[in-house]
Amino acid sequence: MNANFDFNKRNVLVFGGTSGINLGIAEAYAKCGARVGVVGRNPEKAEAARQAVAAHGGDAFCYSADVRDFEAVSAVHKTFVKDAGGSIDVLVSGAAGNFPAPALGMSPNGFKSVVDIDLMGTFHVLRAGFEHLTQPGASIINVSAPQASIAMPLQSHVCAAKAGVDMITRTLAIEWGPMGIRVNSVVPGPIDGTEGMARLAPTQKMRDAVEKAVPLQRMGTPADVADVCLFLASDAARYVTGVILPADGGAVAAGSAGMGMSSMGH
Ligand code: COA
């Protein structure tokens, strides 16, 4: 194994890690030897994810909390550092909410729900996590989205929230850099088999349009994103902070217009 990607004895906590891309990220760290905690809203899903992560060897823990609840997030951090027996080396903030709807079909509470999960949730996870991070040496990865930089119809709430997430990445990279904490965003493109993709491209016609819009001509896999997260948290990225790094087959570079149109049903 490349020594840079050896996460043996490292403690990794993944918020939103109970399914989809984030579970793939949690499993990738476990495969590289890490002690991993996964956090989700649903306790049964969290336990199933813990078992999936543990199957790769090493200790795995699960917790249930809603990232909209700062006290609940704080409690997870405190319990994880006790369970893992040390500070957090890698913190992944990946919990997200989404539903396709035009701004005129969305109540203020609908918009706020997504902002609360994606943007406030990221702040909660990082703010509560700070005191438990390994200093120096911790790496934070915020899971962003193409919507942060590409305006998409039916996604005003996610576009606004994820743009905010990327600015949290940049500002905290500056504020926490002197403490030896790196903060980066990973930007998953259209990833096959995820709840998000099922919501945004529910028909085969839409899936075909998405694939055509991606320069590499295919949807991604959770492993495509997880490998980038391994890099970002590894010693190979020791001088990388404040970066917004797409793992998207070139979708963001292409403007991903096809994806936006397909979610309108064209
Ligand atoms: N169109 C318009 N508004 C919608 C909607 C839709 N498809 N789905 C939910 N909303 C609105 C609700 O009407 C409600 O607003 P209201 O109180 O004014 O009626 C508001 O959003 C909150 O809905 P609720 O179901 O009570 O929220 P929740 O906290 O249980 O769920 C969501 C949060 C809405 C983000 C939900 O989609 C969710 O739980 N998502 C998590 C999973 C997910 O999104 N995965 C994909 C990740 S990319």
Side-chain angles (χ1 to χ4, degrees):
M1 190 192 296
N2 182 326
N4 279 326
F5 296 97
D6 181 1
F7 285 88
N8 196 26
K9 296 195 169 58
R10 305 272 194 94
N11 298 327
V12 178
L13 185 58
V14 184
F15 280 82
T18 53
S19 65
I21 297 169
N22 297 312
L23 176 56
I25 293 169
E27 290 182 304
Y29 286 115
K31 281 183 201 162
C32 292
R35 251 183 237 116
V36 178
V38 291
V39 192
R41 266 193 295 179
N42 178 310
E44 287 83 37
K45 263 178 84 176
E47 172 55 23
R50 188 197 67 74
Q51 288 178 22
V53 171
H56 299 290
D59 297 330
F61 308 93
C62 65
Y63 311 95
S64 54
D66 188 325
V67 293
R68 290 174 283 195
D69 180 345
F70 182 74
E71 296 308 324
V73 169
S74 295
V76 167
H77 280 296
K78 285 191 187 109
T79 311
F80 178 64
V81 293
K82 268 194 210 135
D83 290 343
S87 57
I88 301 170
D89 300 298
V90 182
L91 176 60
V92 179
S93 175
N98 193 0
F99 55 83
L104 294 177
M106 203 185 286
S107 68
N109 192 45
F111 189 93
K112 182 175 182 297
S113 298
V114 169
V115 170
D116 281 349
I117 297 169
D118 292 17
L119 183 54
M120 290 306 300
T122 298
F123 181 75
H124 291 163
V125 167
L126 272 54
R127 177 70 181 80
F130 178 80
E131 64 177 293
H132 303 291
L133 294 173
T134 305
Q135 293 185 38
S139 169
I140 295 171
I141 299 171
N142 292 325
V143 181
S144 183
Q147 287 92 324
S149 56
I150 298 169
M152 282 184 206
L154 316 186
Q155 292 285 277
S156 59
H157 46 359
V158 177
C159 290
K162 292 292 192 180
V165 167
D166 283 351
M167 288 313 286
I168 288 179
T169 293
R170 291 193 178 104
T171 50
L172 294 197
I174 298 168
E175 291 186 14
W176 295 357
M179 283 79 106
I181 297 168
R182 297 183 299 107
V183 190
N184 294 294
S185 282
V186 67
V187 184
I191 304 300
D192 208 3
T194 58
E195 194 184 332
M197 223 40 237
R199 287 180 185 221
L200 289 176
T203 67
Q204 189 57 44
K205 196 177 157 207
M206 290 180 186
R207 290 170 51 84
D208 291 346
V210 169
E211 289 195 334
K212 268 195 216 128
V214 175
L216 290 181
Q217 300 285 290
R218 66 167 176 89
M219 290 203 201
T221 65
D224 290 331
V225 180
D227 283 351
V228 171
C229 292
L230 290 179
F231 163 70
L232 283 175
S234 76
D235 197 47
R238 61 195 167 272
Y239 205 50
V240 178
T241 195
V243 156
I244 315 300
L245 184 53
D248 69 344
V252 169
S256 199
M259 189 170 166
M261 292 309 286
S262 74
S263 66
M264 287 286 274
H266 294 287

